[in-house]
């Protein structure tokens, strides 16, 4: 047996690449810093936007951290974690995506010198976790509740929160206009959790100010057949029938195989087909509905038939639109026209087909359940409207969060400075190394006000010194960066408010990500994944066709 033992133990396949130890950790930290640098300049009301275009020629202009991180298509395994936390922040709270990336990268950056000096990462991680727990507790303490206010007051407070979110966006110039629209929309849907009850429809053309809110459902006119023009386009308190069946002649023909022995029988078959469809249409008409919508096609015969009876119809309505009409009008979608009782019909105060820009829109307003709202967005370029939609999404999420958790904190870096001060004070009471680490964590929090200043072209050192002094003296716990003057100001008084949950979630996620990256000291790349990557890289190079690129490809190029 002994003779079979090999002197050398082969653990991994030949060609496996491992990088480990301090060097690997530092390289991960550097990668994260590089990623954060890509979104750094987008933070805050004076932040810049990024234009990202991919090889397919799609261009996106965005200020949203999560969107940019997604488009960047990061391949570095360590840095990918930052893209993940941005995404999770986006789905959890909807705003603060740039913040979370910046914080995570800054926590790592502050940890770097310690790692270089040989501090064991676990000591850092432990202190970071303690600091984060303390910070979160402090935020909960400092948060101001908006509970118990009247609806009018609440609306005003919420629109301040929405305005703060929107102020960093492309549509920031019209933030009051959109903020009140968003608040109305969110309040309209009430306590319902389904975000898709708020629809956003984009219609290029016009100006931002032409955007409007429908308290109900609106969707673009669907494809329609001849006869449509003769249908009435406006109804008061109509009954609404929603269907999930085809109202077309051809559908009968294709469902059966028919053998005829006598040519005369053919006519009877044709008649039968017509009878079936007329029977269906008759039943729709008899139901008393004035508006008939179907998810499937409504053919020309049906369109003309309905027009003769002064009924409006639309086929091929998108499923989500149909669902929203159902939710708003109280109708139930039918899969047969037999036995249509009154209860399955919906109703609304006004139905109208209206021209919006170049498009015709079907608009249902004054719906009984009131639980839907649609924002029709107008504006110039496509990219602009797309970004406006993303910004409204952020604002909608923020208002919903604020409504639910009903606590807010001062923005503009005020809360970050206050927490930073609190942690520094605490650090002084600790003996031992963790004093340094908690101090590092506290310093990292200052990245938010610093970046806000940098992006606005202010002297960051100067403003930060003023802020530190103000917070340390205890007179101005709500002081943050004043984006208008380049000095400092009370963020609460200026109505720069953010829901507390944005900060809580950001600090939590950023700390977790930083700790995760600090706890990794080895990356193993197995030969298989390497060659897959290598080939992908090689074909990408070939696609660009540049011999000039050769030799720069590094590892991936060896195989060519
Ligand atoms: P994120 O993707 O993290 O939400 P934003 O670009 O939306 O990034 O910037 C948010 C930051 O900008 C927050 O820290 C917020 O407090 C700050 N901010 C927003 N409006 C103002 C303002 N009017 N004055 C100062 N700071 C502001
Ligand atoms: Mg934001």
């Amino acid at each position: 047996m002994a003779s079979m033992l090999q002197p050398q133990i082969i653990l991994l396949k030949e060609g496996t690449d491992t990088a480990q130890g301090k060097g690997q950790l530092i390289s991960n930290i550097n990668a994260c810093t590089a990623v954060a640098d890509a979104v750094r300049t987008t933070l805050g009301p004076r932040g810049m936007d990024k234009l990202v275009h991919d090889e397919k020629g799609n261009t996106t202009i965005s200020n949203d951290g999560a969107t940019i991180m997604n488009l960047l298509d990061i391949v570095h395994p360590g840095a990918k974690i930052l893209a993940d936390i941005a995404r999770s922040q986006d789905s959890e709270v909807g705003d603060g995506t740039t913040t979370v990336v910046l914080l995570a990268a800054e926590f790592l950056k502050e940890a770097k010198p310690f790692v270089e000096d040989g501090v064991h990462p676990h000591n850092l991680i432990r202190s970071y976790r303690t600091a984060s727990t303390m910070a979160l507790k402090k935020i909960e303490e400092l948060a101001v509740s908006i509970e118990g206010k009247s609806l009018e007051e609440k609306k005003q407070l919420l629109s301040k929160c929405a305005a703060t979110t929107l102020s960093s966006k492309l549509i920031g110039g019209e933030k009051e206009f959109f903020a009140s629209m968003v608040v109305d929309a969110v309040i309209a849907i009430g306590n319902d959790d389904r975000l898709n009850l708020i629809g956003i429809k984009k219609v290029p053309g016009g100006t931002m100010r032409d955007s409007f809110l429908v308290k109900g459902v609106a969707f673009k006119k669907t494809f329609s057949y001849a006869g449509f023009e003769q249908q009435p386009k406006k109804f008061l308190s109509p009954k609404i029938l929603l269907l999930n069946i085809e109202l077309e002649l051809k559908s009968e023909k294709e469902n059966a195989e028919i053998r005829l022995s006598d040519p005369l029988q053919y006519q009877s078959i044709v008649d039968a087909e017509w009878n079936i469809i007329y029977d269906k249409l008759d039943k729709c008409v008899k139901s008393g509905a004035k508006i008939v919508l179907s998810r499937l096609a409504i053919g020309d015969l049906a369109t003309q038939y309905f027009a003769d009876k002064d009924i409006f119809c639309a086929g091929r309505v998108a499923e989500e639109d149909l669902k929203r009409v159902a939710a708003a009008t109280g109708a139930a979608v039918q899969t047969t026209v037999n036995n249509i009782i009154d209860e399955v019909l919906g109703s609304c105060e006004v139905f109208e087909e209206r021209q919006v820009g170049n498009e015709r829109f079907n608009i249902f307003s004054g719906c009984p359940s009131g639980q839907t709202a649609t924002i029709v967005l107008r504006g110039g370029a496509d990219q602009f409207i797309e970004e406006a939609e993303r910004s409204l999404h952020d604002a909608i999420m923020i208002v919903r969060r604020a409504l639910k958790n009903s606590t807010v904190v001062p923005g503009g870096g005020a809360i970050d400075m206050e927490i930073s001060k609190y942690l520094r004070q605490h650090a002084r009471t600790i003996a031992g190394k963790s004093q340094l680490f908690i101090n590092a964590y506290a310093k990292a929090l200052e990245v938010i006000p610093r970046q806000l200043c940098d992006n606005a072209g202010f002297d960051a050192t100067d403003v930060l010194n003023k802020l530190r002094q103000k917070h340390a003296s205890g007179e101005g716990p709500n002081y943050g960066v004043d984006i208008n003057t380049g000095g400092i100001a009370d963020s609460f008084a200026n109505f720069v408010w953010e829901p507390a949950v944005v900060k809580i979630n950001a600090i939590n996620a950023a700390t977790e990500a930083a700790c995760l990256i600090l706890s990794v000291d080895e990356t193993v790349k197995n030969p298989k994944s390497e060659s897959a990557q290598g080939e992908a890289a090689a074909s990408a190079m070939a696609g660009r066709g540049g011999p000039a690129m050769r030799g720069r490809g590094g590892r991936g190029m060896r195989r060519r």
Side-chain angles (χ1 to χ4, degrees), residues 44 63-64 94-99 164-166 168-169 394 398 498:
N63 177 284
D64 183 56
D95 194 20
T97 48
T98 316
T99 307
T164 303
T165 298
L166 290 176
S168 61
K169 308 291 184 192
D394 279 16
I398 281 311
E498 289 177 287

Side-chain angles (χ1 to χ4, degrees), residues 112 258 522:
K112 192 169 144 188
I258 303 160
E522 176 159 354

Side-chain angles (χ1 to χ4, degrees), residues 82-219:
L82 292 194
D84 290 343
I85 55 170
R87 204 174 307 132
S88 84
Q89 175 88 8
D90 195 38
S91 54
E92 273 292 304
V93 279
D95 194 20
T97 48
T98 316
T99 307
V100 72
V101 174
L102 284 188
L103 279 177
E106 200 68 17
F107 290 149
L108 289 170
K109 203 165 150 196
E110 289 297 328
K112 192 169 144 188
F114 296 117
V115 174
E116 277 168 342
D117 285 350
V119 171
H120 194 280
H122 267 288
N123 293 338
L124 275 164
I125 291 176
R126 204 172 320 118
S127 300
Y128 271 19
R129 290 235 162 94
T130 319
S132 141
T133 318
M134 291 182 62
L136 296 183
K137 259 205 206 115
K138 191 74 187 165
I139 295 182
E140 272 160 23
E141 248 174 73
L142 291 172
V144 175
S145 174
I146 55 169
E147 205 64 77
K149 308 250 191 258
S150 72
L151 185 65
E152 248 338 281
E153 266 179 308
K154 240 187 203 165
K155 263 190 180 174
Q156 272 190 359
L157 302 180
L158 291 173
S159 64
K160 303 280 193 245
C161 285
T164 303
T165 298
L166 290 176
S167 67
S168 61
K169 308 291 184 192
L170 217 52
I171 53 175
E174 301 282 359
K175 62 182 174 189
E176 273 89 21
F177 175 72
F178 283 109
S180 63
M181 190 185 281
V182 164
V183 172
D184 283 344
V186 173
I187 290 188
I189 67 164
N191 285 330
D192 208 308
D193 253 352
R194 288 171 294 171
L195 188 60
N196 56 11
L197 288 181
I198 301 182
I200 298 182
K201 301 282 160 186
K202 297 165 281 185
V203 188
T207 66
M208 281 188 282
R209 281 253 167 201
D210 296 332
S211 309
F212 60 93
L213 175 75
V214 179
K215 287 192 181 149
V217 187
F219 56 86

Side-chain angles (χ1 to χ4, degrees), residues 390-418:
R390 281 190 290 271
S391 311
L392 285 187
H393 166 80
D394 279 16
I396 288 171
M397 290 291 280
I398 281 311
V399 173
R400 282 159 51 97
R401 290 291 156 195
L403 202 59
K404 246 200 188 135
N405 302 349
S406 58
T407 50
V408 292
V409 292
I415 187 79
D416 311 83
M417 287 307 285
E418 187 61 18

